[in-house]
Amino acid sequence: MPATNPLPESVLISESHLQNRIHELGAQIATDYENQELVLLGVLRGSVIFFADLARAIFSAQLENPVKEVRLRFEFVQLMSYQDSTKPSAVELIRGGTDYLEQRHILIVEDIVDTGHTLKFLHEHLWTLKPKTIKVCTLLDKPSQRQVPVAIDYTGFEIPDTFVVGYGLDYAQQYRNLPYIAVLKLI
Ligand code: IMP
């Protein structure tokens, strides 16, 4: 029998706050990439729900202002972080991130930036594929935990140093389907 998972303690960001902010991010991105083709590059698995809502928010912004046409393409990468005695945090590409990205505008869509190691690795890998530009959109940012500097272009919410789940983020692969962000009490 698997051990019982801890319960989410409290709602940190409600469903309506998430949706309002994602609507704002979609409008900003639609303005910034007006009349261009953009590859939304989701980082599996944590970003999938944010990714889907953000992509539709970009379309909604176009409906409100048809001049802001953005031709969106979807791509995904999957990364794995592991502990290595020689490095503070090692990251490996498991799938995605192909030559197809050459000469494209890429917007990385992340669930959360914590130490920054994952994003730094991905950024360096993507540059080897010769894209035109790379920007970063993260739903959550925990700046107090940063170990390596990373540039973030669009941030949903800055959060304190606490472990959160929901809206794509997991603990032991659970809680991804909560429609809000909750603090998890680890016991
Ligand atoms: P970083 O390399 O430390 O920036 O780690 C980023 C990854 O760590 C995210 O994509 C998440 O998968 C995971 N992560 C960091 N903080 C949390 C959290 O509070 N809840 C769930 N996953 C987290």
Side-chain angles (χ1 to χ4, degrees):
M1 263 300 260
T4 313
N5 277 327
L7 283 175
E9 190 176 278
S10 57
V11 175
L12 184 68
I13 309 171
S14 70
E15 204 172 342
S16 62
H17 273 99
L18 285 169
Q19 294 308 324
N20 289 343
R21 182 69 188 123
I22 292 164
H23 196 78
E24 288 173 0
L25 289 173
Q28 185 62 55
I29 291 164
T31 301
D32 295 351
Y33 290 94
E34 187 178 316
N35 288 321
Q36 300 193 59
E37 186 176 273
L38 175 64
V39 180
L40 276 194
L41 186 92
V43 182
L44 296 171
R45 305 180 176 95
S47 78
V48 287
I49 296 180
F50 175 45
F51 183 101
D53 282 347
L54 182 67
R56 285 176 292 186
I58 294 170
F59 183 74
S60 298
Q62 286 175 222
L63 284 182
E64 285 160 23
N65 183 353
V67 174
K68 294 182 182 173
E69 194 213 352
V70 185
R71 295 180 298 282
L72 275 193
R73 286 172 173 255
F74 289 6
E75 284 288 314
F76 296 93
V77 289
Q78 188 167 10
L79 303 166
M80 193 176 73
S81 306
Y82 56 94
Q83 296 305 315
D84 180 318
S85 53
T86 60
K87 298 178 197 163
S89 175
V91 184
E92 195 182 315
L93 183 73
I94 299 188
R95 70 176 68 130
T98 62
D99 295 349
Y100 157 84
L101 298 170
E102 192 170 334
Q103 286 307 306
R104 310 252 181 203
H105 293 296
I106 302 175
L107 181 60
I108 298 172
V109 180
E110 262 283 24
D111 54 353
I112 186 166
V113 181
D114 190 15
T115 63
H117 287 289
T118 304
L119 192 54
K120 180 172 182 282
F121 170 87
L122 181 58
H123 219 267
E124 287 172 0
H125 170 72
L126 292 175
W127 275 124
T128 68
L129 304 173
K130 304 185 177 66
K132 233 183 237 168
T133 62
I134 304 175
K135 285 191 177 182
V136 176
C137 178
T138 186
L139 177 66
L140 305 175
D141 184 13
K142 271 190 216 173
S144 60
Q145 290 301 296
R146 202 72 87 248
Q147 293 176 5
V148 289
V150 285
I152 301 175
D153 302 281
Y154 308 94
T155 301
F157 303 87
E158 276 192 11
I159 62 167
D161 177 21
T162 179
F163 196 85
V164 292
V165 293
Y167 201 69
L169 289 106
D170 76 308
Y171 171 75
Q173 300 302 328
Q174 298 299 302
Y175 310 111
R176 292 194 196 275
N177 57 338
L178 299 181
Y180 47 81
I181 299 287
V183 174
L184 193 70
K185 190 177 183 182
L186 297 170
I187 35 174

